[in-house]
Each structure stands twice: as structure tokens, then as C-alpha cells.
Amino acid sequence: MLDRRLRFRSLWWAWSADVRAEALTQVLSNDEFYGVRAAAARSLGDIATEKAKAALLSALLQRNSRVRTAVAKALENFSNEQAVYTAIVNALQNDSSYAVEAAAAKGLGKSDMAQAFDVLREEVAKKPEFHVMQGTLAGLVATKNPRAAEILLAQAQPGVAERIRLTALTALQSLREEVTPSQVPELI
């Protein structure tokens, strides 16, 4: 049994990326179990071909939010492309699932698009649901924009919901060079 799996695995990688993408697209579109569709989405993200990107963009319309979350995460590999960036912004602003919105926010931060910081800053200003806020703060850190430190400091203040505050404080670690010593007393 193990030998057969190893042979399949070696054959799988011998196939071209487009052939693998086509097979995974069929699984993503047709399998009944959401977990299998989500795994197919993750694999398509790893393949990172044009066919994989097209399949993932189409899959943002899947009914199951767990599949759409996996799709949003997989699209991070393409997020520096305008069409994907636009789809991710749309998912952040319009999806019915907080998990999808959070994954989209993280992906935006990794996109290297100049406008991503502003979109994420606007999302923080809306005071979204906790999970979306966590993803948005993570996305802000991923932009590597020094202005993110100010937003994180504001979210780390006493009086902010504890879970948001803890997320902001943890995220500040990644931007420690941007935080001045005069800003630290504000956190106490």
C-alpha cells in the first residue's frame, strides 16, 4: 500500500503543473466534501499557475465558507496581481463569513500593492468583528508600512477589547523598530 502511494506521489509531481491544476480544479468544483475542496484550493495556491489562479478566483463563489477561506488564503500567492487584489478586497468588504474576511485581510497585507495599507486602515476604522480585526491587524503588519505601528498602538490602548489589544501588542513585536520610546508609556 505504501509503495503504491509513493509511486502515485512521484507520478503526481511528474505531471505538468497545468495537468495538476486541471485535476485539482475538478476536485474543487465537484467534490461533495468541503474539506476535500478546501485542500484542493490550498494545493492550487501552491501550484501558482494561471489555470490555478483562474480556478481559485471562480471558487470565491463557493457556498461553503470554509472552502472560501481556503481559497482566500491560497490567493495570497497571486495577491500582487491586480485582478486577484481586487477580488481579495471584495472578499474583505463583502463576504458573509468573518473567516473569509480575516483571511482576505491577511492576504491584502502580503500583496505588495500600494493601496493595501489604506484599505486595511479603513477596515480597522470600521471596528470589524474580532476575527476580522485580528486578520486586519496581521495584514497591516504584513504591509511593512511604518504607519501600521500607530494603528497597532491605538488598538493596544487600555479600554480596547482585551483580545484586540493582545493581538495588537503581539503584532507590535514585528514593528518594534517603528515604535518610539515615548509611545511605550501610552500602553500602560
Side-chain angles (χ1 to χ4, degrees):
M1 179 70 156
L2 181 61
D3 185 44
R4 193 167 65 184
R5 279 192 227 155
L6 290 174
R7 278 186 293 174
F8 175 77
R9 197 171 286 163
S10 64
L11 280 175
W12 176 254
W13 292 110
W15 293 339
S16 74
D18 283 342
V19 171
R20 291 189 317 242
E22 183 61 37
L24 290 166
T25 299
Q26 291 301 315
V27 171
L28 179 59
S29 300
N30 300 319
D31 200 275
E32 292 181 23
F33 180 49
Y34 74 87
V36 171
R37 294 194 314 273
R42 288 189 294 274
S43 293
L44 282 165
D46 291 340
I47 291 174
T49 64
E50 286 299 312
K51 284 186 178 185
K53 177 178 73 173
L56 290 168
L57 286 170
S58 296
L60 278 171
L61 302 175
Q62 287 257 342
R63 284 189 320 261
N64 190 290
S65 65
R66 291 169 283 205
V67 176
R68 292 194 315 275
T69 301
V71 168
K73 289 176 183 177
L75 282 169
E76 287 178 6
N77 295 329
F78 305 95
S79 62
N80 59 349
E81 298 178 29
Q82 187 61 47
V84 174
Y85 172 82
T86 301
I88 293 173
V89 170
N90 185 52
L92 170 63
Q93 295 174 342
N94 299 311
D95 201 275
S96 60
S97 166
Y98 294 142
V100 174
E101 290 178 358
K106 289 177 187 176
L108 280 181
K110 296 176 182 177
S111 71
D112 293 330
M113 296 291 222
Q115 62 270 38
F117 177 83
D118 294 327
V119 170
L120 293 168
R121 181 179 55 197
E122 290 171 14
E123 189 65 26
V124 168
K126 293 178 192 174
K127 298 189 186 291
E129 184 274 339
F130 164 71
H131 295 94
V132 178
M133 181 65 94
Q134 281 186 311
T136 304
L137 295 176
L140 282 167
V141 170
T143 66
K144 298 180 181 129
N145 187 317
R147 298 178 295 164
E150 286 182 33
I151 296 169
L152 291 169
L153 282 166
Q155 296 301 316
Q157 297 299 312
V160 173
E162 277 185 43
R163 295 192 299 178
I164 300 298
R165 189 172 183 211
L166 288 171
T167 299
L169 288 167
T170 303
L172 275 167
Q173 174 66 22
S174 299
L175 297 174
R176 62 185 167 274
E177 293 83 25
E178 309 303 329
V179 179
T180 63
S182 65
Q183 292 171 311
V184 174
E186 296 175 18
L187 300 174
I188 301 172

